[in-house]
């Protein structure tokens, strides 16, 4: 059925105006000051949006759904994760495919794709993690990029012995990325330094969650940024720094930018809103807040918000990685290095940015749209199909009530994880109606869509 959205305030990264939007099939076909429903052919659902904002569907550029990691499996599947995404206004997920070093990349791609295909209620694409780079793997990566439209690689400069890559392989991979015109997203920490710090702390009996941050301090992250941007400078590859948590790392990226390196910075909702004292909570509660890079000293938050306001930080993602507080986080009860890393925030991301960014005056609504949707679409080769509201774009739309107030809570969460890191926090604003390619998938707190309706979004290669 066609959809007419009437009387809303349309906010994109570049515009802010009042108009009606008409969607036929999966696409936006008309945007005009006023469209008379009586003039439209066939069945049309009319959605009144006066007093509300109409925003482009949000894109989360960094999520983990199917994630075998640190000896366990993350809690969500694609159905629960996509429902959580939609409840937070996110209509496209960019998930990390994370195979192990013995796995075949193409098989991994097919595994992740078939899981998403089966359960995902919103659209999706992937970053392809590279954890081995022998000749056979190289051939497979070429296919994944060229035949399946996956326009980004992911590398981990962390998780020693599990996901990290040798420098020789990293260099060759970056040459391939440049040749193929795809961007390399990177988890920047120095794996050897983290390993040595962890061993020293544990040997000294410092095994609690409060030691997670000291085991991987800001200089370790900045060193990772310097490492990847040096390789980018030498190979010409373009790089996207995921979950950048602190001033030192951002400054290292900016130095590279000044040298002409093509580098973009992602921040994630947990680093913008939580600080390291959460990971220091007693009685192991801090484990809910263990992720890597870790939550930092609170002063980094203002720095990140300012960097977002000035667009030094391009995107805000989540790094959603859900591990239960009961049953999974306790794997590291006696040794913080064994706690499965991750702070889930897929459903909460946009509302956290709205509450703590827009409502506090740190950023404006257009910056929120840019960081939570448009920049991801541009950088990851999906624009203007995704990331904006324009004639010809996918009808991925969020009718957002900026004046709604309530609280974040596990009770209203669609994720299968057993805690909400933001439990009881005030929430200002919420997605009221969410469409994916012209179909309403979420309305007034309820999922009303179809699991499995999501599609893989083929992406353009724009980083040659
Ligand atoms: O703590 C985190 N970030 N967990 C997920 C894996 C990763 O490094 O992105
Ligand atoms: Zn990471
Ligand atoms: Zn991640």
């Amino acid at each position: 059925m066609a959809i007419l959205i009437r009387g809303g305030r349309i906010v994109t990264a570049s515009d802010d105006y009042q108009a009606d939007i008409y969607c036929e099939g999966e696409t936006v076909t008309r945007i005009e000051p006023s469209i008379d429903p009586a003039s439209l052919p066939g069945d049309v659902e009319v959605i009144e949006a006066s007093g509300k904002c109409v925003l482009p569907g949000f894109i989360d550029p960094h999520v983990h759904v199917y994630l075998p990691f640190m000896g366990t499996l993350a809690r969500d599947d694609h159905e629960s994760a996509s429902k959580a995404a939609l409840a937070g206004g996110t209509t496209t997920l960019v998930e990390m495919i994370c195979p192990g070093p013995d796995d075949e990349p193409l098989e991994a791609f097919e595994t992740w794709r078939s899981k998403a295909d089966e359960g995902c209620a919103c659209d999706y694409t992937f970053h392809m993690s590279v954890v081995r780079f022998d000749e056979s793997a190289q051939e497979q990566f070429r296919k994944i990029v060229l035949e399946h439209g996956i326009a980004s690689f992911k590398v981990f400069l962390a998780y020693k012995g599990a996901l990290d890559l040798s420098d020789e392989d990293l260099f060759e991979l970056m040459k391939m990325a440049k040749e193929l015109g795809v961007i390399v997203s990177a988890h920047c920490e120095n794996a050897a330094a983290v390993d040595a710090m962890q061993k020293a702390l544990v040997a000294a009996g410092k095994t609690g969650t409060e030691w997670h941050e000291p085991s991987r301090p800001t200089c370790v992250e900045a060193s990772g940024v310097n490492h990847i941007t040096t390789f980018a400078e030498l190979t010409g590859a373009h790089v996207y720094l995921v979950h950048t948590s602190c001033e030192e790392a951002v400054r290292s990226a900016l130095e590279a930018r000044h040298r002409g390196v093509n580098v973009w910075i992602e921040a994630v909702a947990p680093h913008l809103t939580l600080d390291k004292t959460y990971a220091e909570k007693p009685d192991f509660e801090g484990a809910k807040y263990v992720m890597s890079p870790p939550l930092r000293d609170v002063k980094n938050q203002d720095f990140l918000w300012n960097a977002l306001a000035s667009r030094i930080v391009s995107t805000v993602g989540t790094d959603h990685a859900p591990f239960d507080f009961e049953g999974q986080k306790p794997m590291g009860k006696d040794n913080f290095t064994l706690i499965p890393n991750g702070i889930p925030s897929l459903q909460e991301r946009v509302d956290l940015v709205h509450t703590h960014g827009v409502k506090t005056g740190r950023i404006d609504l257009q910056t929120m749209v840019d960081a939570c949707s448009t920049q991801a679409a541009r950088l990851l080769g999906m624009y203007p199909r995704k990331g904006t509201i324009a004639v010809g774009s996918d009808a991925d739309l969020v009718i957002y009530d900026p004046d709604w107030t309530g609280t974040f809570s596990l009770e209203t969460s669609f994720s299968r994880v057993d805690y909400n890191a933001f439990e009881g926090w005030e929430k200002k604003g919420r997605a009221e109606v969410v469409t994916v390619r012209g179909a309403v998938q979420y309305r007034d707190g309820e999922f009303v869509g179809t699991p499995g309706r999501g599609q893989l979004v083929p992406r353009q290669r724009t980083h040659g």
Side-chain angles (χ1 to χ4, degrees):
M1 191 197 302
I3 297 178
L4 175 65
I5 299 170
R6 294 183 82 196
R9 173 184 165 203
I10 300 173
V11 182
T12 67
S14 53
D15 295 302
D16 187 341
Y17 60 108
Q18 205 86 21
D20 293 353
I21 302 174
Y22 183 52
C23 312
E24 290 168 284
E26 302 195 338
T27 313
V28 173
T29 54
R30 290 169 64 186
I31 303 174
E32 292 163 24
S34 175
I35 301 174
D36 179 3
S39 70
L40 299 171
D43 273 356
V44 181
E45 177 179 352
V46 179
I47 301 175
E48 294 298 340
S50 55
K52 309 281 159 60
C53 298
V54 187
L55 311 175
F58 293 105
I59 300 170
D60 192 332
H62 183 170
V63 299
H64 302 271
V65 182
Y66 176 59
L67 177 64
F69 184 55
M70 296 183 76
T72 187
L73 188 63
R75 283 290 285 134
D76 275 320
D77 57 19
H78 287 84
E79 183 173 332
S80 60
S82 60
K83 286 178 178 172
L86 288 162
T90 295
T91 54
T92 304
L93 299 179
V94 189
E95 183 184 359
M96 303 286 171
I97 295 177
C98 289
D102 298 327
D103 297 333
E104 295 300 331
L106 254 174
E107 273 175 30
F109 170 72
E110 291 301 348
T111 301
W112 261 262
R113 182 172 70 170
S114 66
K115 285 178 187 294
D117 200 37
E118 195 186 312
C120 214
C122 63
D123 283 352
Y124 55 88
T125 177
F126 303 102
H127 298 288
M128 184 67 217
S129 297
V130 178
V131 296
R132 54 174 262 228
F133 204 62
D134 51 76
E135 250 175 58
S136 150
Q138 289 174 30
E139 270 320 294
Q140 297 178 58
F141 289 129
R142 281 182 191 281
K143 279 202 176 123
I144 290 165
V145 170
L146 298 173
E147 293 173 19
H148 300 284
I150 302 302
S152 49
F153 291 126
K154 167 74 187 290
V155 293
F156 291 90
L157 311 188
Y159 307 123
K160 193 170 160 49
L163 299 172
D164 60 331
L165 204 58
S166 73
D167 275 353
E168 291 76 10
D169 284 348
L170 179 61
F171 199 86
E172 290 306 312
L173 164 72
M174 291 180 75
K175 277 167 49 186
M176 180 193 271
K178 172 68 181 169
E179 178 210 321
L180 294 174
V182 303
I183 196 164
V184 178
S185 59
H187 174 136
C188 296
E189 289 183 296
N190 182 308
V194 172
D195 188 55
M197 296 289 287
Q198 285 183 333
K199 283 183 175 139
L201 286 164
V202 171
K206 296 174 173 172
T207 57
T209 57
E210 69 276 25
W211 297 104
H212 178 64
E213 200 279 340
S215 75
R216 42 214 316 153
T218 53
C219 62
V220 165
E221 187 179 341
S223 151
V225 172
N226 186 44
H227 196 76
I228 196 89
T229 52
T230 302
F231 280 30
E233 192 171 355
L234 295 171
T235 59
H238 295 192
V239 286
Y240 176 78
L241 311 179
V242 300
H243 51 37
T244 310
S245 73
C246 60
E247 177 171 349
E248 244 175 296
V250 173
R251 286 199 186 282
S252 175
L254 286 178
E255 274 174 30
R257 227 181 240 177
H258 290 142
R259 298 196 304 272
V261 176
N262 288 291
V263 53
W264 289 271
I265 303 169
E266 172 195 271
V268 292
H271 290 135
L272 285 165
T273 55
L274 298 161
D275 64 71
K276 69 176 183 177
T277 60
Y278 284 85
E280 292 166 358
K281 281 175 181 269
D283 302 325
F284 198 59
E285 204 178 337
K288 292 177 180 171
Y289 301 95
V290 166
M291 69 174 289
S292 297
L295 298 179
R296 299 297 189 189
D297 189 286
V298 70
K299 69 177 194 273
N300 290 285
Q301 276 177 18
D302 273 342
F303 184 87
L304 289 177
W305 281 109
N306 287 336
L308 185 59
S310 56
R311 315 279 174 112
I312 286 169
V313 165
S314 296
T315 58
V316 175
T318 56
D319 196 11
H320 182 77
F323 296 102
D324 278 345
F325 183 56
E326 304 285 343
Q328 291 187 297
K329 293 280 185 180
M331 291 165 71
K333 187 111 186 80
D334 302 318
N335 179 346
F336 72 89
T337 69
L338 304 177
I339 297 170
N341 283 204
I343 304 177
S345 61
L346 181 51
Q347 185 165 329
E348 294 79 17
R349 172 183 66 135
V350 172
D351 296 329
L352 284 167
V353 171
H354 190 257
T355 305
H356 294 270
V358 178
K359 284 290 190 185
T360 58
R362 283 161 149 165
I363 61 169
D364 59 23
L365 196 53
Q366 282 182 293
T367 303
M368 173 176 118
V369 168
D370 197 34
C372 295
S373 179
T374 313
Q375 285 300 323
R378 283 186 182 281
L379 288 170
L380 301 177
M382 295 184 276
Y383 189 86
R385 180 178 165 187
K386 306 286 190 191
T388 192
I389 301 177
V391 170
S393 296
D394 280 0
D396 297 350
L397 299 167
V398 179
I399 295 164
Y400 196 83
D401 182 353
D403 300 318
W404 188 89
T405 55
T407 49
F408 292 99
S409 171
L410 187 61
E411 248 174 68
T412 48
S413 170
F414 286 88
S415 170
R416 292 172 62 200
V417 74
D418 70 354
Y419 73 99
N420 188 322
F422 313 94
E423 189 65 47
W425 285 25
E426 191 174 24
K427 172 163 114 169
K428 296 181 180 170
R430 70 159 186 173
E432 209 169 81
V433 179
V434 182
T435 70
V436 178
R437 282 178 287 104
V440 175
Q441 297 282 287
Y442 178 82
R443 191 194 296 272
D444 292 330
E446 303 286 335
F447 173 71
V448 294
T450 317
R453 185 171 179 279
Q455 289 180 358
L456 177 68
V457 184
R459 285 153 51 199
Q460 306 136 35
R461 294 180 283 125
T462 58
H463 293 281

